[in-house]
Amino acid sequence: MSKVGLEWTTPSKKINAQSDLVYFKKSVGYRKLFKTLTLVISKVTNVQLPGEILDPEITTRKKPVSKRSLPSPSAIVESEPKNKLQKNHQVRSFNGILEILSQLNKLIDDTPPLAGPRRFGNMACRDWHDKVIARINNLFDEYLELPQKTDKEGLYSELGSYLLNSFGSKIRLDYGTGHELSFLAFLGGLFELKILPVDLLSGVDILTIFAKYYDLVRRLIIDYNLEPAGSHGVWGLDDHFHLIYILGAAQFNGDKSAPPVSQVLTSQVISTYKSTNLYVNAIAFIYKIKSGPFNEHSPIIYDIHASVVLWSKVLQGLFRMYEVEVFGKFPVVQHFYFGNVLYTWRDSETNRELPITSGDELLEEDDSPGFLNGYQGVNTTRSNISMTGAPWANKPARAIPPTHGHIGRK
Amino acid sequence: MTVPFRIPTTDLDYCLEQLLEHKPPKILPPETIQQLCHTLKTQLLSVPNIMPLQSPIAVVGDIHGQYHDLLEIFQIGGAPPTTNYLFLGDYVDRGYYSVETISLLITLKLRFPDRVFLIRGNHESRTITTNYGFYSEVLSKYNGSADVWSYITDLFDYLPLGATIDGKIFAAHGGLSPSCQQLDQIRALDRFREIPHDGIMADLVWSDPDTEIMDFKLSPRGAGYLFGLDVINKFCHENSLVQMIRAHQLCNEGYTSYWQGKCLTVWSAPNYCYRCGNKASVLEILHSNYDSKRTSTTTSNYEDRFDSTKICLRQGVLPGQFFNIFEASPENDEDTLKGKSVNGINSEDEYAVNNGDFFSGFFREKSRKQHVEYFL
């Protein structure tokens, strides 16, 4: 495909029904996502993060430290500057991406959660989203090096939509593996457009980008109480993430100094590796937000560590699971949108446009009243997961049946 | 007329022992579950959609597979048959012990049929349990077989939709329906089916009260409605009721009172999903004599606990009612692996692997789990 005269478009919804998953698997969009995923895995295999990239505060509980306990290694790391970036990477856009993520992080400081306990996701998160939407093109302008002779606006709207979607749903105030996938898509777009020439990036570079992304998202989850998108309760791998475990397992894959799989849930391994390995870091985050026996609140992860021995098997298993639980699940990928240049709804073999299941009434479902969280937060809890939504909630608008005049307004 | 089957008391006691005297509880074999469900179905056939119950009774809200918190309820409120219980639904999904929770409730219902009453919540449904965890849990605990899920979700179709207490209080899982003005309209429903997407039966398990409105409004859940003050006043008036009691919504304090106790929410899953940090409660209803002054001769120990006027003011309940509040057990307030804290609290660690903890044995005993197959 030539890069000259690209017809950019704002990505739109193409997966409207369960049956569209067959087309999805054939699409250029899917092939590209898959390619990016395998590329990223190979880049980060047997690579560890430098200790100062991840923010230890994100994964450590804020509790009055008991007098008995000694200062933990994480407390020592904490005193170092948080945003110690590689200032002079040869790829300018690499620093640029980190800078953008850091700016978005600062926007959270500028958009404090609304006071008082709230039942649903904090409404301030919608303000944060609005600020990001308003600023994103300027940030791209300032920090990214674009290919020459590009229709900048078009590129921004197609590529940018994947970044915007990677911070969770502004409407439903939730975050899940679909949003995580969207960030992978954004990164894949940067690779494809050579804004980030992948050959010039090391595994550490890629891990650094993900680390900053995950720290940002988890700050959003905590500060704004984002709900797990479509939670299977304890019977999902994790309330919010999946890719992070794949990346972390790849990091340990082939690493002779990696901890034994069976030991990963112990405090020793957690404190030793949570700043250098994304898998351990993700588990530290679970320990932070959940209380109670680990085997109850996270039985799948618990079982992995009770029954799998090799990191290569962990990686393989998580990857297979990703194909089934993320790429293979309509509720997840229905929110993945397709554009005209990057992730297209075209047959990857014939390059023909794939069919679209007619579903005019479903097209705007993201904005219809079928979301889980209402517009008003109701005074109830510290965390979320509050309300079960009907799985058929994306149906066309419902009406209130007539009440035969029994109910009168005052 | 169907003559209900009976399961010998000793067999039921054996099931209770399996569930109650082991930690973690032992799950019942599929054939046992099948027989329990079948027997209970035949008994529920003759139970009306709205069960007429009497005080004193304890009303329990959502449990969502939080088995140990259910046991905590029996600790603080008394165990059946000494205390009567009305459970308002949402026994399964989200938590780790949905199988054990529903197994225990089914067994208790069969063992003490006049002391334990179960109604249907929105999670007692095939669609919802497929999406919110119970189905996955059954596959995981029963070696990849969904049989137990089928037996139990088939039983769900037989659960009544509501109850009245002393004819004055109406209890259901969710709330009111714009299609229903009379209790008799509920009584006339054919309830022996999957919960439909809309209509009275759906609204009863899906709706929520809303103090901001007077009338009905669409619910942001995508099913059921929000109902306001005029709706509940009208409904109570038409049906000679004083109050509606329901569950269905997480409450930070374990309960919520709307409109000076006209409507109460009772929530019985503390620290919901291991991360919400909320309290939970059981609503104890002693009587429903609202007009008679308490006479000194009837003062019992029990009633001394309830300085009625104070509690009414503080909790927004009617006389004779009391929200018994409880929290997650202290050990559930830490991040633990095999009882040991891991990340953040009590960070000095003396963790030893393979310390013979029964949880590890519990998992090893089980043959291959569904999700583990990804990793083979």
Side-chain angles (χ1 to χ4, degrees), chain B residues 133-207:
Chain B
F134 180 49
Y135 181 80
S136 312
E137 180 182 329
V138 169
L139 291 187
S140 177
K141 291 184 176 168
Y142 288 97
N143 301 327
S145 163
D147 291 352
V148 166
W149 176 81
S150 309
Y151 305 145
I152 292 174
T153 48
D154 284 352
L155 167 70
F156 288 160
D157 288 345
Y158 289 69
L159 292 175
L161 304 174
T164 56
I165 297 166
D166 302 331
K168 295 176 183 171
I169 299 166
F170 176 56
H173 178 71
L176 299 175
S177 166
S179 317
C180 172
Q181 288 75 43
Q182 304 285 340
L183 286 178
D184 281 342
Q185 289 172 275
I186 302 171
R187 294 189 178 106
L189 291 173
D190 172 19
R191 75 164 192 266
F192 301 97
R193 51 174 298 191
E194 171 73 333
I195 298 170
H197 288 187
D198 44 34
I200 297 176
M201 192 166 152
D203 299 343
L204 281 171
V205 299
W206 279 102
S207 293

Side-chain angles (χ1 to χ4, degrees), chain A residues 76-241:
Chain A
I76 297 160
V77 180
E78 235 167 291
S79 58
E80 292 183 25
K82 270 191 226 165
N83 289 316
K84 198 173 148 195
L85 301 178
Q86 250 181 301
K87 282 295 176 205
N88 37 14
H89 197 282
Q90 56 170 324
V91 179
R92 198 179 78 91
S93 297
F94 170 75
N95 288 328
I97 290 297
L98 299 186
E99 191 54 45
I100 289 172
L101 291 173
S102 150
Q103 297 276 337
L104 299 185
N105 212 320
K106 279 187 198 125
L107 277 184
I108 304 180
D109 300 329
D110 301 340
T111 321
L114 302 177
R118 285 179 175 262
R119 175 182 183 120
F120 307 133
N122 198 289
M123 294 303 127
C125 187
R126 296 217 172 110
D127 297 340
W128 181 85
H129 275 280
D130 286 335
K131 290 180 189 176
V132 175
I133 292 166
R135 239 167 264 193
I136 198 72
N137 286 4
N138 289 342
L139 290 171
F140 283 164
D141 266 342
E142 193 171 345
Y143 295 111
L144 296 188
E145 231 163 40
L146 299 184
Q148 302 202 322
K149 288 192 193 165
T150 310
D151 163 17
K152 220 169 58 173
E153 299 239 320
L155 183 148
Y156 286 175
S157 92
E158 186 161 334
L159 180 67
S161 86
Y162 296 104
L163 181 63
L164 292 175
N165 188 45
S166 67
F167 303 118
S169 164
K170 176 186 158 187
I171 299 292
R172 293 184 304 270
L173 299 177
D174 61 10
Y175 178 93
T177 50
H179 304 111
E180 194 186 26
L181 174 66
S182 193
F183 188 74
L184 183 76
F186 172 66
L187 209 57
L190 294 172
F191 294 163
E192 182 180 335
L193 300 168
K194 302 276 192 288
I195 296 171
L196 287 181
V198 77
D199 312 338
L200 301 179
L201 296 180
S202 66
V204 170
D205 293 339
I206 290 182
L207 285 172
T208 303
I209 294 174
F210 274 106
K212 294 295 180 188
Y213 165 71
Y214 283 122
D215 274 353
L216 171 59
V217 166
R218 289 180 298 196
R219 232 194 120 192
L220 292 172
I221 289 172
I222 293 172
D223 285 15
Y224 298 134
N225 264 339
L226 300 189
E227 184 157 357
S231 173
H232 284 236
V234 305
W235 299 102
L237 179 73
D238 181 290
D239 278 356
H240 304 284
F241 306 105

